[in-house]
Amino acid sequence: MSDQKFKPARNTNTRAQDTVAVQLIRKHRNDVPITGWRLLARRLGPIGIASLAIIVLVILMAAFAPLIAPYDPYEGSVTARHEAWSLAHLMGTDQSGRDILSRIVWGARTSLIGPTIVILITAFLATTLALTAVWFGGKVDALISRVLDILFAFPNMLLAILAVAIFGPSLITASIALAIGFTPYSARVIRSVALRERNLPYVSSAQLQGISGFLITARHILPNVRTQILTGMTINFGYAMIELAALSFLGLGVQPPTPDWGLMVSNGQASLQQGYWEQSVFAGLAIVITVAAFGYVGEQLGGRRAAGRIR
């Protein structure tokens, strides 16, 4: 007897269901901002790829500053004050005879560390508050919303200045204060997306199976809002860099002689009146280019709404 009659025949409906499933999977993958280099490149475009390359270069410059910087950023010379461009000093020297290029390279570290602290604290606080408000709802949601509204009424810079006035000027103090100020922007966006997920049928199904709210939130709701979290972190990084640079410019952030881009702009302000523009201009360009790169990549991945910046 032939074995063919024992082979299960593939149902036409099964093939059709498989085809529909494949199409749904492909459609879902096209809706996700980052699922691979090819899709990432398509979403970013040529300008976005160039912006991403700038971000990578700045990170590498900060990571390998001791190997890249030609001079000690703290070492100066009275006889080398305000030297013009040359092979010895590609960006010239500042008012203390320190190599500007070396301080730009080393300044990338503090200019990246501060915003990184801001976005990490912001992401943790905003995600925790938003998911707690969505899951419990009712009075808990109302209380968290009122707290966020109060924080939203205070400008970020005002919170940072108040914190610096109380605890003293430092990068950590300014970063924590800015993170608290950034939290309402991100929390309200994460809450809106998480609330939509909370009302989907799969959440009710998981509850009927006896799964705890914490596990449902951690395993299902949180992964479905990660795109908004990551996009908000990318965009907020640029805003944090600008505001921290402004605080350093005012003398409320990074303190001299630590190399920092915002502090370099401030230190070179007096030299501008004497015609020595290199320090302020090069440090300012570093800030502008880096912030623009982070902002463009963030907007291409998820839009400004992901960071809650639309008022």
Side-chain angles (χ1 to χ4, degrees), residues 214-234:
F214 177 80
L215 291 178
I216 295 174
T217 303
R219 293 181 179 178
H220 302 286
I221 298 180
L222 180 59
N224 288 328
V225 300
R226 67 181 183 274
T227 299
Q228 283 69 29
I229 297 173
L230 294 176
T231 304
M233 291 174 67
T234 305

CSV table of all heavy atoms in Angstrom, one decimal, residues 214-234:
chain,number,residue,atom,x,y,z
A,214,PHE,N,1.6,43.7,37.3
A,214,PHE,CA,3.0,44.0,37.1
A,214,PHE,C,3.6,43.2,35.9
A,214,PHE,O,4.3,43.8,35.1
A,214,PHE,CB,3.8,43.7,38.3
A,214,PHE,CG,5.3,43.9,38.2
A,214,PHE,CD1,5.8,45.2,38.3
A,214,PHE,CD2,6.1,42.9,38.0
A,214,PHE,CE1,7.2,45.4,38.1
A,214,PHE,CE2,7.5,43.1,37.8
A,214,PHE,CZ,8.0,44.3,37.9
A,215,LEU,N,3.3,42.0,35.8
A,215,LEU,CA,3.8,41.1,34.7
A,215,LEU,C,3.2,41.6,33.4
A,215,LEU,O,3.9,41.6,32.3
A,215,LEU,CB,3.5,39.7,34.9
A,215,LEU,CG,4.3,39.0,36.1
A,215,LEU,CD1,3.9,37.6,36.3
A,215,LEU,CD2,5.8,39.1,35.8
A,216,ILE,N,1.9,41.9,33.4
A,216,ILE,CA,1.3,42.4,32.1
A,216,ILE,C,1.9,43.6,31.6
A,216,ILE,O,2.2,43.8,30.5
A,216,ILE,CB,-0.3,42.6,32.3
A,216,ILE,CG1,-0.9,41.2,32.6
A,216,ILE,CG2,-0.9,43.2,31.1
A,216,ILE,CD1,-2.4,41.3,33.0
A,217,THR,N,2.1,44.5,32.6
A,217,THR,CA,2.8,45.8,32.2
A,217,THR,C,4.2,45.6,31.7
A,217,THR,O,4.6,46.2,30.7
A,217,THR,CB,2.8,46.8,33.4
A,217,THR,OG1,1.4,46.9,33.9
A,217,THR,CG2,3.3,48.1,33.1
A,218,ALA,N,4.9,44.8,32.4
A,218,ALA,CA,6.3,44.6,32.1
A,218,ALA,C,6.5,43.8,30.8
A,218,ALA,O,7.4,44.1,30.0
A,218,ALA,CB,7.1,43.9,33.3
A,219,ARG,N,5.7,42.8,30.6
A,219,ARG,CA,5.9,41.9,29.5
A,219,ARG,C,5.2,42.3,28.2
A,219,ARG,O,5.6,42.0,27.1
A,219,ARG,CB,5.4,40.5,29.8
A,219,ARG,CG,6.3,39.8,30.9
A,219,ARG,CD,5.7,38.4,31.2
A,219,ARG,NE,6.5,37.7,32.2
A,219,ARG,CZ,6.3,36.5,32.6
A,219,ARG,NH1,5.2,35.8,32.1
A,219,ARG,NH2,7.0,35.9,33.5
A,220,HIS,N,4.1,43.1,28.3
A,220,HIS,CA,3.3,43.4,27.2
A,220,HIS,C,3.2,44.9,26.9
A,220,HIS,O,3.4,45.4,25.8
A,220,HIS,CB,1.9,42.8,27.3
A,220,HIS,CG,1.9,41.3,27.5
A,220,HIS,ND1,2.2,40.4,26.5
A,220,HIS,CD2,1.7,40.6,28.6
A,220,HIS,CE1,2.1,39.2,26.9
A,220,HIS,NE2,1.9,39.2,28.2
A,221,ILE,N,2.7,45.7,27.9
A,221,ILE,CA,2.5,47.1,27.7
A,221,ILE,C,3.8,47.8,27.5
A,221,ILE,O,4.0,48.6,26.5
A,221,ILE,CB,1.7,47.7,28.8
A,221,ILE,CG1,0.3,47.1,28.9
A,221,ILE,CG2,1.6,49.2,28.6
A,221,ILE,CD1,-0.5,47.6,30.1
A,222,LEU,N,4.8,47.6,28.3
A,222,LEU,CA,6.1,48.3,28.2
A,222,LEU,C,6.8,48.1,26.9
A,222,LEU,O,7.3,49.0,26.2
A,222,LEU,CB,7.0,47.9,29.4
A,222,LEU,CG,8.4,48.5,29.4
A,222,LEU,CD1,8.3,50.1,29.5
A,222,LEU,CD2,9.2,48.0,30.6
A,223,PRO,N,6.9,46.8,26.4
A,223,PRO,CA,7.5,46.6,25.1
A,223,PRO,C,6.8,47.3,23.9
A,223,PRO,O,7.4,47.7,22.9
A,223,PRO,CB,7.4,45.1,24.9
A,223,PRO,CG,7.4,44.5,26.2
A,223,PRO,CD,6.6,45.5,27.0
A,224,ASN,N,5.5,47.6,24.1
A,224,ASN,CA,4.7,48.2,23.0
A,224,ASN,C,4.8,49.7,23.1
A,224,ASN,O,4.3,50.4,22.1
A,224,ASN,CB,3.2,47.8,23.1
A,224,ASN,CG,3.0,46.4,22.7
A,224,ASN,OD1,3.7,45.9,21.8
A,224,ASN,ND2,2.1,45.7,23.3
A,225,VAL,N,5.4,50.3,24.1
A,225,VAL,CA,5.6,51.7,24.2
A,225,VAL,C,7.1,52.1,24.1
A,225,VAL,O,7.5,53.2,24.3
A,225,VAL,CB,5.0,52.3,25.4
A,225,VAL,CG1,3.5,52.1,25.5
A,225,VAL,CG2,5.7,51.8,26.7
A,226,ARG,N,8.0,51.1,23.9
A,226,ARG,CA,9.4,51.3,23.9
A,226,ARG,C,9.8,52.3,22.7
A,226,ARG,O,10.8,53.0,22.9
A,226,ARG,CB,10.2,50.0,23.8
A,226,ARG,CG,10.1,49.3,22.5
A,226,ARG,CD,10.9,48.0,22.5
A,226,ARG,NE,10.8,47.3,21.2
A,226,ARG,CZ,9.9,46.5,20.8
A,226,ARG,NH1,8.9,46.2,21.7
A,226,ARG,NH2,9.9,45.9,19.6
A,227,THR,N,9.1,52.3,21.6
A,227,THR,CA,9.4,53.2,20.5
A,227,THR,C,9.3,54.6,20.9
A,227,THR,O,10.2,55.4,20.7
A,227,THR,CB,8.5,52.9,19.3
A,227,THR,OG1,8.7,51.5,18.9
A,227,THR,CG2,8.9,53.8,18.2
A,228,GLN,N,8.2,54.9,21.6
A,228,GLN,CA,8.0,56.3,22.1
A,228,GLN,C,9.1,56.7,23.1
A,228,GLN,O,9.6,57.8,23.2
A,228,GLN,CB,6.6,56.5,22.7
A,228,GLN,CG,5.5,56.6,21.7
A,228,GLN,CD,5.3,55.3,20.9
A,228,GLN,OE1,5.5,54.2,21.5
A,228,GLN,NE2,4.8,55.4,19.7
A,229,ILE,N,9.5,55.7,24.0
A,229,ILE,CA,10.5,56.0,25.0
A,229,ILE,C,11.8,56.3,24.4
A,229,ILE,O,12.5,57.3,24.7
A,229,ILE,CB,10.6,54.8,26.0
A,229,ILE,CG1,9.3,54.6,26.7
A,229,ILE,CG2,11.8,55.0,26.9
A,229,ILE,CD1,9.3,53.3,27.6
A,230,LEU,N,12.3,55.4,23.4
A,230,LEU,CA,13.6,55.6,22.8
A,230,LEU,C,13.6,56.9,21.9
A,230,LEU,O,14.6,57.6,21.9
A,230,LEU,CB,13.9,54.4,21.9
A,230,LEU,CG,14.1,53.1,22.7
A,230,LEU,CD1,14.3,51.9,21.8
A,230,LEU,CD2,15.3,53.2,23.7
A,231,THR,N,12.5,57.1,21.2
A,231,THR,CA,12.5,58.4,20.4
A,231,THR,C,12.5,59.6,21.3
A,231,THR,O,13.2,60.6,20.9
A,231,THR,CB,11.2,58.4,19.5
A,231,THR,OG1,11.2,57.2,18.7
A,231,THR,CG2,11.2,59.6,18.6
A,232,GLY,N,11.8,59.6,22.3
A,232,GLY,CA,11.8,60.7,23.3
A,232,GLY,C,13.2,60.9,23.9
A,232,GLY,O,13.6,62.1,24.0
A,233,MET,N,13.9,59.9,24.2
A,233,MET,CA,15.2,60.0,24.7
A,233,MET,C,16.2,60.6,23.7
A,233,MET,O,17.0,61.5,24.0
A,233,MET,CB,15.7,58.6,25.1
A,233,MET,CG,15.1,58.0,26.3
A,233,MET,SD,15.6,56.3,26.7
A,233,MET,CE,17.3,56.6,27.2
A,234,THR,N,16.0,60.2,22.4
A,234,THR,CA,16.9,60.8,21.4
A,234,THR,C,16.7,62.3,21.2
A,234,THR,O,17.6,63.1,21.1
A,234,THR,CB,16.6,60.1,20.1
A,234,THR,OG1,16.8,58.7,20.2
A,234,THR,CG2,17.6,60.6,19.0
